[in-house]
Amino acid sequence: MGTLELGAIWIFMLGLNYYLITLLQWYHYSFARVLTKHHKKRWHVYHVLLPLAVFVTAHLKHFELAFYVFVGGVQIPCLVFWASRLDKKLVFTPRVVRFFTILLFFLLMDAWLVHLWGQIVFWRYLILIALVHGASLGFEKSCAQGYVRLARDKLARMPHLKIIAITGSFGKTSVKNYLHQMLQGKYIVYSTSGSVNTLLGLSQDINQNLGENATLYIAEAGARQSGDIKAITSLLQHHYAIITEVGKQHIEYFKTIENVAQTKAELLDSPRLERAFCYKSEILEPFCQKIPQEKITFYPGKTRNIQATLEGTHFELFLDQTWVSFESKILGAFNVENLTLAIMVGFYFGIPVAQLQRLVAKLNPVPHRLNVLHVNDKIIIDDGFNGNLKGMLEGVRLCSLYTGRKIIVTPGLVESDIESNTTLGQAIDRVFDIAIITGELNTTTLGQAITSIQKVFLRDKSQLESVLQTMTLPKDLILFANDAPNYI
């Protein structure tokens, strides 16, 4: 019976910690965010509180058989079903492998104690859960410090390397992508992959991917609390700082937009700063006074004749004391600001105006940001990585130019406020014929704002494909706006 009980406890522990490490991976390994920011807290009841309650009760009341039945018949089947329906599954990164290695080490040590003492002490496993996560956290902090130290040393060995750091509430990835394409003919350019923008992510990217022959490194810097940008600035000590527009993105972490602006402005603290390009706004400008004003260029510059359609974007920019015409296949009026910023930086780096015109015309869009696809005689606009109000409203406006039937698939805005989601819902109500709302986060807010068109609510995206097959017709336009994972 001891072996059977020990086996059941091992399975119980592995299942419980599989759930915990999955959520920790989603929320950047912060228990505080798992507890306070996770929107489907009933999952905590099903996969943590209920298993722990059954475990404690069964052993206090000596109902070990009930515990075996629960683990084999309820806990593990429910966990497998839950995991199978996730669209963002646990990725077995080196950190996750190290976590399970530590867990198995502690379980083996406990099995040895059971062998010596001949009894199973159930409360020891409650302490063991805390010990495993504590040991893992301590080990990872030590590893992180090592990664940052190695990255700093590598950058110090590359005195020829110029570094551009980009932060802001939105537009960071797009600007990084445009600059990479525009400057790669003049420099050996490397830019951070995907949306890597944390101190640890940047350190690992530098250590593993930054070639020592690179002459220009473009890094994206993100933040969820004060000091995050300061830490990245200390690592990069960049030569050029770019601060894009500051808005209410991640407002739930910073509480006020002034706190957001102050944190983003930490990018200006680099001791090697030669030039900064900052979005001109009343919120950001006071924090830009920390450096000499001759080092700052504010954007967007003077523009006119902006035309943004489903075919592309045209605008004129006052550059080099004259009005210069630019055309791009990049969609969205808001992208004019991102494009003018990239043009101004390119001009500062010595690219002639005529060449800038050619480069802008050839720019490829960032994946999942207003990408137009034609699939099965339908028009698909993939704007899945656009999660800010300004960008999503522009996606809605572009769709309004289409004369046929229009469907939007969206969870609304994540890490934002009710006011912004209400504004988005009202815009959707004016333009679309069908709104498919995914997830539970903004169901109430969007449901109240969307009043005159057909609404479909999906708790998760597992049924989305069948719903679209049933409800859409040839020639329909379908906008996928902010493709948030189904744990939202």
Side-chain angles (χ1 to χ4, degrees), residues 255-315:
K255 306 305 179 186
T256 69
I257 197 166
E258 288 76 18
N259 290 340
V260 178
Q262 184 176 17
T263 299
K264 302 301 183 182
E266 292 170 356
L267 201 72
L268 303 174
D269 295 333
S270 172
R272 297 192 295 182
L273 189 68
E274 298 176 13
R275 195 77 187 176
F277 297 83
C278 300
Y279 187 84
K280 188 176 181 63
S281 68
E282 293 181 0
I283 296 170
L284 192 56
E285 281 188 76
F287 300 105
C288 293
Q289 295 175 1
K290 64 172 71 177
I291 65 171
Q293 293 304 288
E294 62 269 18
K295 284 189 173 185
I296 295 185
T297 298
F298 288 101
Y299 87 98
K302 295 179 181 178
T303 56
R304 69 182 187 186
N305 296 332
I306 297 173
Q307 300 172 28
T309 69
L310 288 169
E311 282 69 49
T313 306
H314 173 273
F315 60 94

Short mmCIF file of all heavy atoms in Angstrom, two decimals, residues 255-315:
data_model
loop_
_atom_site.label_atom_id
_atom_site.label_comp_id
_atom_site.label_asym_id
_atom_site.label_seq_id
_atom_site.Cartn_x
_atom_site.Cartn_y
_atom_site.Cartn_z
N LYS A 255 -0.76 52.01 -13.23
CA LYS A 255 -1.82 52.78 -12.55
C LYS A 255 -2.09 54.13 -13.21
O LYS A 255 -3.25 54.51 -13.37
CB LYS A 255 -1.47 53.01 -11.06
CG LYS A 255 -1.17 51.73 -10.30
CD LYS A 255 -2.29 50.71 -10.40
CE LYS A 255 -1.96 49.43 -9.65
NZ LYS A 255 -2.96 48.37 -9.87
N THR A 256 -1.06 54.91 -13.58
CA THR A 256 -1.28 56.19 -14.24
C THR A 256 -0.42 56.27 -15.50
O THR A 256 0.65 55.66 -15.57
CB THR A 256 -0.93 57.38 -13.34
OG1 THR A 256 0.48 57.43 -13.14
CG2 THR A 256 -1.63 57.28 -12.00
N ILE A 257 -0.87 57.07 -16.47
CA ILE A 257 -0.12 57.21 -17.71
C ILE A 257 1.17 57.99 -17.47
O ILE A 257 2.16 57.83 -18.19
CB ILE A 257 -1.00 57.88 -18.79
CG1 ILE A 257 -0.38 57.66 -20.18
CG2 ILE A 257 -1.20 59.36 -18.50
CD1 ILE A 257 -1.31 57.99 -21.32
N GLU A 258 1.19 58.83 -16.42
CA GLU A 258 2.42 59.54 -16.06
C GLU A 258 3.50 58.56 -15.62
O GLU A 258 4.69 58.75 -15.93
CB GLU A 258 2.15 60.57 -14.96
CG GLU A 258 1.35 61.79 -15.39
CD GLU A 258 -0.13 61.51 -15.56
OE1 GLU A 258 -0.61 60.47 -15.02
OE2 GLU A 258 -0.81 62.32 -16.22
N ASN A 259 3.11 57.51 -14.89
CA ASN A 259 4.07 56.49 -14.49
C ASN A 259 4.62 55.74 -15.70
O ASN A 259 5.80 55.39 -15.75
CB ASN A 259 3.42 55.49 -13.53
CG ASN A 259 3.13 56.09 -12.18
OD1 ASN A 259 3.71 57.11 -11.79
ND2 ASN A 259 2.21 55.48 -11.43
N VAL A 260 3.74 55.52 -16.70
CA VAL A 260 4.19 54.87 -17.93
C VAL A 260 5.24 55.73 -18.61
O VAL A 260 6.32 55.26 -18.99
CB VAL A 260 3.00 54.64 -18.89
CG1 VAL A 260 3.50 54.02 -20.20
CG2 VAL A 260 1.96 53.73 -18.26
N ALA A 261 4.95 57.03 -18.77
CA ALA A 261 5.87 57.94 -19.45
C ALA A 261 7.20 58.05 -18.71
O ALA A 261 8.27 58.04 -19.33
CB ALA A 261 5.23 59.32 -19.58
N GLN A 262 7.15 58.12 -17.39
CA GLN A 262 8.37 58.22 -16.61
C GLN A 262 9.25 56.99 -16.79
O GLN A 262 10.48 57.09 -16.90
CB GLN A 262 8.03 58.42 -15.13
CG GLN A 262 9.25 58.64 -14.24
CD GLN A 262 8.86 58.93 -12.81
OE1 GLN A 262 7.73 58.67 -12.39
NE2 GLN A 262 9.77 59.48 -12.04
N THR A 263 8.61 55.81 -16.81
CA THR A 263 9.37 54.57 -17.00
C THR A 263 9.97 54.50 -18.39
O THR A 263 11.15 54.14 -18.54
CB THR A 263 8.45 53.35 -16.75
OG1 THR A 263 7.98 53.40 -15.40
CG2 THR A 263 9.20 52.05 -16.97
N LYS A 264 9.19 54.85 -19.42
CA LYS A 264 9.72 54.81 -20.79
C LYS A 264 10.89 55.78 -20.94
O LYS A 264 11.85 55.49 -21.67
CB LYS A 264 8.62 55.15 -21.80
CG LYS A 264 7.40 54.24 -21.76
CD LYS A 264 7.75 52.80 -22.02
CE LYS A 264 6.50 51.92 -22.05
NZ LYS A 264 6.81 50.49 -22.26
N ALA A 265 10.83 56.91 -20.26
CA ALA A 265 11.90 57.91 -20.36
C ALA A 265 13.20 57.46 -19.71
O ALA A 265 14.25 58.11 -19.90
CB ALA A 265 11.44 59.23 -19.74
N GLU A 266 13.17 56.36 -18.96
CA GLU A 266 14.42 55.81 -18.42
C GLU A 266 15.38 55.42 -19.54
O GLU A 266 16.59 55.28 -19.31
CB GLU A 266 14.11 54.59 -17.55
CG GLU A 266 13.36 54.91 -16.27
CD GLU A 266 12.85 53.69 -15.53
OE1 GLU A 266 13.03 52.57 -16.05
OE2 GLU A 266 12.28 53.86 -14.44
N LEU A 267 14.86 55.26 -20.77
CA LEU A 267 15.70 54.92 -21.91
C LEU A 267 16.69 56.04 -22.24
O LEU A 267 17.70 55.80 -22.91
CB LEU A 267 14.83 54.63 -23.13
CG LEU A 267 15.46 53.79 -24.24
CD1 LEU A 267 15.58 52.33 -23.80
CD2 LEU A 267 14.63 53.85 -25.52
N LEU A 268 16.43 57.24 -21.76
CA LEU A 268 17.30 58.39 -22.05
C LEU A 268 18.49 58.46 -21.11
O LEU A 268 19.32 59.37 -21.23
CB LEU A 268 16.49 59.68 -21.97
CG LEU A 268 15.27 59.79 -22.88
CD1 LEU A 268 14.50 61.06 -22.60
CD2 LEU A 268 15.68 59.71 -24.35
N ASP A 269 18.61 57.53 -20.17
CA ASP A 269 19.67 57.57 -19.16
C ASP A 269 20.96 56.90 -19.59
O ASP A 269 21.88 56.77 -18.78
CB ASP A 269 19.18 56.92 -17.86
CG ASP A 269 18.04 57.70 -17.22
OD1 ASP A 269 17.96 58.92 -17.44
OD2 ASP A 269 17.23 57.08 -16.49
N SER A 270 21.06 56.47 -20.84
CA SER A 270 22.27 55.79 -21.30
C SER A 270 23.47 56.73 -21.26
O SER A 270 23.40 57.85 -21.79
CB SER A 270 22.08 55.26 -22.73
OG SER A 270 23.31 54.76 -23.24
N PRO A 271 24.59 56.30 -20.68
CA PRO A 271 25.78 57.17 -20.63
C PRO A 271 26.41 57.42 -22.00
O PRO A 271 27.20 58.35 -22.15
CB PRO A 271 26.73 56.39 -19.71
CG PRO A 271 26.29 54.96 -19.83
CD PRO A 271 24.81 55.01 -20.01
N ARG A 272 26.06 56.60 -23.01
CA ARG A 272 26.64 56.77 -24.35
C ARG A 272 25.65 57.41 -25.32
O ARG A 272 25.90 57.40 -26.54
CB ARG A 272 27.08 55.42 -24.91
CG ARG A 272 28.18 54.75 -24.11
CD ARG A 272 28.79 53.58 -24.85
NE ARG A 272 27.86 52.48 -25.06
CZ ARG A 272 28.18 51.33 -25.66
NH1 ARG A 272 29.42 51.14 -26.11
NH2 ARG A 272 27.27 50.38 -25.80
N LEU A 273 24.57 57.97 -24.82
CA LEU A 273 23.51 58.48 -25.69
C LEU A 273 24.03 59.60 -26.59
O LEU A 273 24.57 60.60 -26.12
CB LEU A 273 22.34 58.99 -24.85
CG LEU A 273 21.08 59.34 -25.64
CD1 LEU A 273 20.46 58.09 -26.24
CD2 LEU A 273 20.06 60.06 -24.75
N GLU A 274 23.84 59.42 -27.90
CA GLU A 274 24.21 60.42 -28.88
C GLU A 274 22.99 61.16 -29.43
O GLU A 274 23.06 62.36 -29.73
CB GLU A 274 24.98 59.78 -30.04
CG GLU A 274 26.29 59.12 -29.63
CD GLU A 274 26.98 58.42 -30.79
OE1 GLU A 274 26.57 58.65 -31.96
OE2 GLU A 274 27.90 57.64 -30.54
N ARG A 275 21.88 60.43 -29.57
CA ARG A 275 20.68 61.03 -30.16
C ARG A 275 19.45 60.29 -29.68
O ARG A 275 19.47 59.07 -29.49
CB ARG A 275 20.74 60.94 -31.69
CG ARG A 275 19.73 61.84 -32.40
CD ARG A 275 20.22 63.27 -32.37
NE ARG A 275 19.24 64.22 -32.88
CZ ARG A 275 19.43 65.53 -32.87
NH1 ARG A 275 20.57 66.03 -32.39
NH2 ARG A 275 18.51 66.34 -33.34
N ALA A 276 18.37 61.05 -29.47
CA ALA A 276 17.10 60.45 -29.09
C ALA A 276 16.01 60.93 -30.04
O ALA A 276 16.02 62.09 -30.48
CB ALA A 276 16.75 60.83 -27.66
N PHE A 277 15.11 60.03 -30.37
CA PHE A 277 13.93 60.34 -31.18
C PHE A 277 12.71 60.02 -30.32
O PHE A 277 12.51 58.86 -29.95
CB PHE A 277 13.93 59.52 -32.47
CG PHE A 277 15.08 59.81 -33.38
CD1 PHE A 277 16.31 59.20 -33.18
CD2 PHE A 277 14.94 60.70 -34.44
CE1 PHE A 277 17.39 59.48 -34.02
CE2 PHE A 277 16.01 60.97 -35.29
CZ PHE A 277 17.23 60.37 -35.08
N CYS A 278 11.92 61.05 -30.01
CA CYS A 278 10.83 60.87 -29.07
C CYS A 278 9.51 61.36 -29.66
O CYS A 278 9.48 62.37 -30.37
CB CYS A 278 11.10 61.63 -27.77
SG CYS A 278 12.59 61.10 -26.90
N TYR A 279 8.45 60.65 -29.32
CA TYR A 279 7.12 61.07 -29.75
C TYR A 279 6.76 62.36 -29.03
O TYR A 279 6.92 62.48 -27.81
CB TYR A 279 6.10 59.98 -29.42
CG TYR A 279 4.72 60.25 -29.98
CD1 TYR A 279 4.42 59.90 -31.28
CD2 TYR A 279 3.75 60.88 -29.22
CE1 TYR A 279 3.16 60.14 -31.82
CE2 TYR A 279 2.48 61.13 -29.73
CZ TYR A 279 2.20 60.76 -31.04
OH TYR A 279 0.96 61.02 -31.56
N LYS A 280 6.28 63.33 -29.78
CA LYS A 280 5.96 64.64 -29.20
C LYS A 280 4.58 64.59 -28.56
O LYS A 280 3.57 64.45 -29.24
CB LYS A 280 6.01 65.71 -30.29
CG LYS A 280 5.87 67.14 -29.76
CD LYS A 280 6.03 68.15 -30.88
CE LYS A 280 5.94 69.58 -30.37
NZ LYS A 280 7.02 69.92 -29.42
N SER A 281 4.56 64.68 -27.23
CA SER A 281 3.29 64.69 -26.50
C SER A 281 3.48 65.41 -25.18
O SER A 281 4.60 65.48 -24.65
CB SER A 281 2.80 63.26 -26.24
OG SER A 281 3.65 62.61 -25.32
N GLU A 282 2.40 65.96 -24.64
CA GLU A 282 2.47 66.69 -23.38
C GLU A 282 2.87 65.77 -22.23
O GLU A 282 3.51 66.21 -21.27
CB GLU A 282 1.12 67.33 -23.07
CG GLU A 282 0.73 68.45 -24.04
CD GLU A 282 -0.61 69.08 -23.68
OE1 GLU A 282 -1.21 68.64 -22.68
OE2 GLU A 282 -1.05 70.00 -24.40
N ILE A 283 2.51 64.51 -22.33
CA ILE A 283 2.82 63.55 -21.26
C ILE A 283 4.30 63.23 -21.22
O ILE A 283 4.92 63.16 -20.16
CB ILE A 283 1.99 62.26 -21.43
CG1 ILE A 283 0.51 62.57 -21.30
CG2 ILE A 283 2.40 61.21 -20.42
CD1 ILE A 283 -0.39 61.43 -21.69
N LEU A 284 4.91 63.05 -22.39
CA LEU A 284 6.29 62.59 -22.47
C LEU A 284 7.31 63.72 -22.39
O LEU A 284 8.41 63.53 -21.85
CB LEU A 284 6.48 61.80 -23.77
CG LEU A 284 7.76 60.99 -23.94
CD1 LEU A 284 7.94 60.00 -22.79
CD2 LEU A 284 7.74 60.25 -25.26
N GLU A 285 6.97 64.89 -22.93
CA GLU A 285 7.97 65.97 -23.05
C GLU A 285 8.63 66.36 -21.73
O GLU A 285 9.84 66.57 -21.70
CB GLU A 285 7.32 67.19 -23.71
CG GLU A 285 7.21 67.05 -25.23
CD GLU A 285 6.76 68.35 -25.88
OE1 GLU A 285 7.61 69.26 -25.99
OE2 GLU A 285 5.58 68.44 -26.26
N PRO A 286 7.89 66.48 -20.60
CA PRO A 286 8.58 66.87 -19.35
C PRO A 286 9.69 65.91 -18.95
O PRO A 286 10.70 66.33 -18.37
CB PRO A 286 7.44 66.86 -18.31
CG PRO A 286 6.21 67.07 -19.11
CD PRO A 286 6.44 66.37 -20.41
N PHE A 287 9.52 64.63 -19.25
CA PHE A 287 10.53 63.64 -18.87
C PHE A 287 11.72 63.64 -19.84
O PHE A 287 12.76 63.05 -19.54
CB PHE A 287 9.90 62.24 -18.81
CG PHE A 287 8.78 62.14 -17.81
CD1 PHE A 287 7.46 62.11 -18.22
CD2 PHE A 287 9.06 62.10 -16.45
CE1 PHE A 287 6.43 62.02 -17.31
CE2 PHE A 287 8.03 62.01 -15.52
CZ PHE A 287 6.71 61.97 -15.95
N CYS A 288 11.54 64.29 -21.00
CA CYS A 288 12.63 64.36 -21.98
C CYS A 288 13.59 65.51 -21.69
O CYS A 288 14.61 65.65 -22.37
CB CYS A 288 12.05 64.53 -23.39
SG CYS A 288 11.14 63.09 -23.98
N GLN A 289 13.28 66.30 -20.68
CA GLN A 289 14.14 67.44 -20.36
C GLN A 289 15.39 67.03 -19.59
O GLN A 289 16.23 67.87 -19.29
CB GLN A 289 13.34 68.48 -19.56
CG GLN A 289 12.20 69.10 -20.35
CD GLN A 289 11.34 70.03 -19.52
OE1 GLN A 289 11.59 70.24 -18.33
NE2 GLN A 289 10.31 70.59 -20.15
N LYS A 290 15.51 65.75 -19.28
CA LYS A 290 16.68 65.28 -18.53
C LYS A 290 17.95 65.28 -19.37
O LYS A 290 19.05 65.16 -18.83
CB LYS A 290 16.43 63.87 -17.98
CG LYS A 290 16.23 62.80 -19.05
CD LYS A 290 16.19 61.41 -18.45
CE LYS A 290 14.93 61.17 -17.67
NZ LYS A 290 14.86 59.78 -17.14
N ILE A 291 17.83 65.39 -20.70
CA ILE A 291 19.01 65.43 -21.56
C ILE A 291 18.98 66.73 -22.36
O ILE A 291 17.93 67.35 -22.54
CB ILE A 291 19.08 64.22 -22.51
CG1 ILE A 291 17.92 64.23 -23.50
CG2 ILE A 291 19.12 62.92 -21.74
CD1 ILE A 291 18.05 63.19 -24.59
N PRO A 292 20.14 67.18 -22.87
CA PRO A 292 20.18 68.41 -23.67
C PRO A 292 19.23 68.32 -24.86
O PRO A 292 19.18 67.31 -25.55
CB PRO A 292 21.65 68.49 -24.12
CG PRO A 292 22.40 67.71 -23.11
CD PRO A 292 21.49 66.60 -22.67
N GLN A 293 18.47 69.39 -25.08
CA GLN A 293 17.44 69.37 -26.11
C GLN A 293 18.02 69.26 -27.52
O GLN A 293 17.33 68.82 -28.44
CB GLN A 293 16.56 70.60 -25.99
CG GLN A 293 15.72 70.62 -24.70
CD GLN A 293 14.86 69.38 -24.55
OE1 GLN A 293 13.88 69.21 -25.27
NE2 GLN A 293 15.22 68.49 -23.62
N GLU A 294 19.29 69.66 -27.70
CA GLU A 294 19.90 69.51 -29.02
C GLU A 294 20.14 68.04 -29.38
O GLU A 294 20.43 67.71 -30.53
CB GLU A 294 21.21 70.29 -29.11
CG GLU A 294 22.30 69.85 -28.16
CD GLU A 294 22.27 70.61 -26.83
OE1 GLU A 294 21.22 71.22 -26.52
OE2 GLU A 294 23.29 70.59 -26.12
N LYS A 295 20.01 67.15 -28.40
CA LYS A 295 20.17 65.72 -28.66
C LYS A 295 18.86 65.04 -29.03
O LYS A 295 18.84 63.85 -29.34
CB LYS A 295 20.76 65.01 -27.43
CG LYS A 295 22.25 65.21 -27.22
CD LYS A 295 22.75 64.29 -26.12
CE LYS A 295 24.26 64.34 -25.99
NZ LYS A 295 24.74 63.35 -24.98
N ILE A 296 17.73 65.77 -28.95
CA ILE A 296 16.42 65.16 -29.16
C ILE A 296 15.80 65.64 -30.46
O ILE A 296 15.81 66.82 -30.77
CB ILE A 296 15.46 65.48 -28.00
CG1 ILE A 296 15.95 64.85 -26.70
CG2 ILE A 296 14.06 64.97 -28.29
CD1 ILE A 296 14.99 65.02 -25.54
N THR A 297 15.26 64.69 -31.21
CA THR A 297 14.41 64.98 -32.36
C THR A 297 13.02 64.46 -32.04
O THR A 297 12.85 63.28 -31.72
CB THR A 297 14.92 64.30 -33.64
OG1 THR A 297 16.22 64.81 -33.95
CG2 THR A 297 13.99 64.57 -34.81
N PHE A 298 12.03 65.34 -32.08
CA PHE A 298 10.66 64.92 -31.82
C PHE A 298 9.98 64.54 -33.13
O PHE A 298 10.26 65.10 -34.18
CB PHE A 298 9.88 66.04 -31.13
CG PHE A 298 10.29 66.25 -29.70
CD1 PHE A 298 11.13 67.30 -29.36
CD2 PHE A 298 9.84 65.41 -28.69
CE1 PHE A 298 11.51 67.51 -28.04
CE2 PHE A 298 10.22 65.60 -27.37
CZ PHE A 298 11.06 66.66 -27.05
N TYR A 299 9.13 63.55 -33.05
CA TYR A 299 8.37 63.12 -34.21
C TYR A 299 6.91 62.98 -33.79
O TYR A 299 6.62 63.01 -32.58
CB TYR A 299 8.95 61.78 -34.75
CG TYR A 299 8.38 60.55 -34.08
CD1 TYR A 299 7.35 59.83 -34.67
CD2 TYR A 299 8.85 60.12 -32.84
CE1 TYR A 299 6.81 58.71 -34.05
CE2 TYR A 299 8.31 59.01 -32.22
CZ TYR A 299 7.29 58.31 -32.83
OH TYR A 299 6.75 57.22 -32.21
N PRO A 300 5.93 62.80 -34.66
CA PRO A 300 6.09 62.74 -36.11
C PRO A 300 6.39 64.12 -36.69
O PRO A 300 6.02 65.13 -36.10
CB PRO A 300 4.73 62.22 -36.60
CG PRO A 300 3.77 62.65 -35.52
CD PRO A 300 4.53 62.61 -34.24
N GLY A 301 7.07 64.13 -37.83
CA GLY A 301 7.36 65.40 -38.48
C GLY A 301 6.12 65.95 -39.15
O GLY A 301 5.01 65.44 -39.00
N LYS A 302 6.31 67.01 -39.94
CA LYS A 302 5.19 67.60 -40.67
C LYS A 302 4.78 66.67 -41.80
O LYS A 302 5.62 66.30 -42.63
CB LYS A 302 5.60 68.96 -41.23
CG LYS A 302 5.92 70.00 -40.18
CD LYS A 302 6.32 71.32 -40.85
CE LYS A 302 6.68 72.37 -39.81
NZ LYS A 302 7.12 73.64 -40.46
N THR A 303 3.51 66.30 -41.84
CA THR A 303 3.00 65.44 -42.90
C THR A 303 1.74 66.06 -43.49
O THR A 303 1.06 66.86 -42.84
CB THR A 303 2.67 64.02 -42.38
OG1 THR A 303 1.75 64.12 -41.29
CG2 THR A 303 3.93 63.30 -41.93
N ARG A 304 1.42 65.64 -44.70
CA ARG A 304 0.20 66.11 -45.35
C ARG A 304 -0.22 65.10 -46.40
O ARG A 304 0.53 64.19 -46.75
CB ARG A 304 0.40 67.49 -45.98
CG ARG A 304 1.33 67.50 -47.18
CD ARG A 304 1.53 68.91 -47.72
NE ARG A 304 2.29 68.87 -48.98
CZ ARG A 304 2.72 69.95 -49.63
NH1 ARG A 304 2.45 71.17 -49.13
NH2 ARG A 304 3.39 69.84 -50.77
N ASN A 305 -1.44 65.25 -46.90
CA ASN A 305 -1.97 64.39 -47.96
C ASN A 305 -1.87 62.90 -47.61
O ASN A 305 -1.44 62.08 -48.43
CB ASN A 305 -1.25 64.66 -49.30
CG ASN A 305 -1.50 66.08 -49.79
OD1 ASN A 305 -2.54 66.67 -49.50
ND2 ASN A 305 -0.55 66.62 -50.53
N ILE A 306 -2.26 62.56 -46.39
CA ILE A 306 -2.20 61.15 -45.97
C ILE A 306 -3.40 60.40 -46.55
O ILE A 306 -4.54 60.82 -46.38
CB ILE A 306 -2.22 61.05 -44.43
CG1 ILE A 306 -0.97 61.72 -43.84
CG2 ILE A 306 -2.30 59.59 -43.99
CD1 ILE A 306 -0.98 61.81 -42.33
N GLN A 307 -3.10 59.31 -47.24
CA GLN A 307 -4.14 58.44 -47.79
C GLN A 307 -3.83 57.01 -47.38
O GLN A 307 -2.79 56.47 -47.77
CB GLN A 307 -4.18 58.55 -49.32
CG GLN A 307 -4.47 59.96 -49.83
CD GLN A 307 -4.31 60.07 -51.33
OE1 GLN A 307 -4.49 59.09 -52.05
NE2 GLN A 307 -3.96 61.25 -51.82
N ALA A 308 -4.71 56.43 -46.59
CA ALA A 308 -4.50 55.06 -46.10
C ALA A 308 -5.71 54.22 -46.49
O ALA A 308 -6.81 54.44 -45.99
CB ALA A 308 -4.32 55.06 -44.59
N THR A 309 -5.50 53.28 -47.39
CA THR A 309 -6.58 52.42 -47.88
C THR A 309 -6.18 50.96 -47.72
O THR A 309 -5.11 50.65 -47.19
CB THR A 309 -6.86 52.71 -49.37
OG1 THR A 309 -5.74 52.25 -50.15
CG2 THR A 309 -7.07 54.20 -49.61
N LEU A 310 -7.05 50.07 -48.21
CA LEU A 310 -6.74 48.64 -48.16
C LEU A 310 -5.67 48.25 -49.17
O LEU A 310 -5.20 47.11 -49.17
CB LEU A 310 -8.01 47.83 -48.41
CG LEU A 310 -9.02 47.82 -47.26
CD1 LEU A 310 -10.34 47.21 -47.72
CD2 LEU A 310 -8.47 47.08 -46.05
N GLU A 311 -5.29 49.16 -50.04
CA GLU A 311 -4.24 48.88 -51.03
C GLU A 311 -2.86 49.34 -50.57
O GLU A 311 -1.84 48.85 -51.04
CB GLU A 311 -4.56 49.57 -52.37
CG GLU A 311 -5.62 48.86 -53.21
CD GLU A 311 -7.00 48.94 -52.58
OE1 GLU A 311 -7.40 50.07 -52.20
OE2 GLU A 311 -7.67 47.91 -52.45
N GLY A 312 -2.81 50.31 -49.65
CA GLY A 312 -1.53 50.81 -49.20
C GLY A 312 -1.66 52.20 -48.60
O GLY A 312 -2.77 52.67 -48.32
N THR A 313 -0.52 52.86 -48.42
CA THR A 313 -0.49 54.15 -47.74
C THR A 313 0.36 55.14 -48.53
O THR A 313 1.44 54.78 -49.03
CB THR A 313 0.09 54.00 -46.32
OG1 THR A 313 -0.65 53.01 -45.61
CG2 THR A 313 0.02 55.30 -45.55
N HIS A 314 -0.13 56.36 -48.65
CA HIS A 314 0.60 57.44 -49.31
C HIS A 314 0.59 58.66 -48.40
O HIS A 314 -0.40 58.96 -47.74
CB HIS A 314 -0.05 57.79 -50.66
CG HIS A 314 0.56 59.01 -51.30
ND1 HIS A 314 0.12 60.29 -51.02
CD2 HIS A 314 1.58 59.14 -52.18
CE1 HIS A 314 0.85 61.16 -51.72
NE2 HIS A 314 1.74 60.49 -52.43
N PHE A 315 1.72 59.37 -48.34
CA PHE A 315 1.79 60.59 -47.54
C PHE A 315 2.98 61.43 -48.02
O PHE A 315 3.86 60.95 -48.73
CB PHE A 315 1.94 60.27 -46.05
CG PHE A 315 3.19 59.48 -45.71
CD1 PHE A 315 4.36 60.12 -45.30
CD2 PHE A 315 3.19 58.09 -45.79
CE1 PHE A 315 5.50 59.40 -44.99
CE2 PHE A 315 4.32 57.36 -45.48
CZ PHE A 315 5.49 58.01 -45.08
#
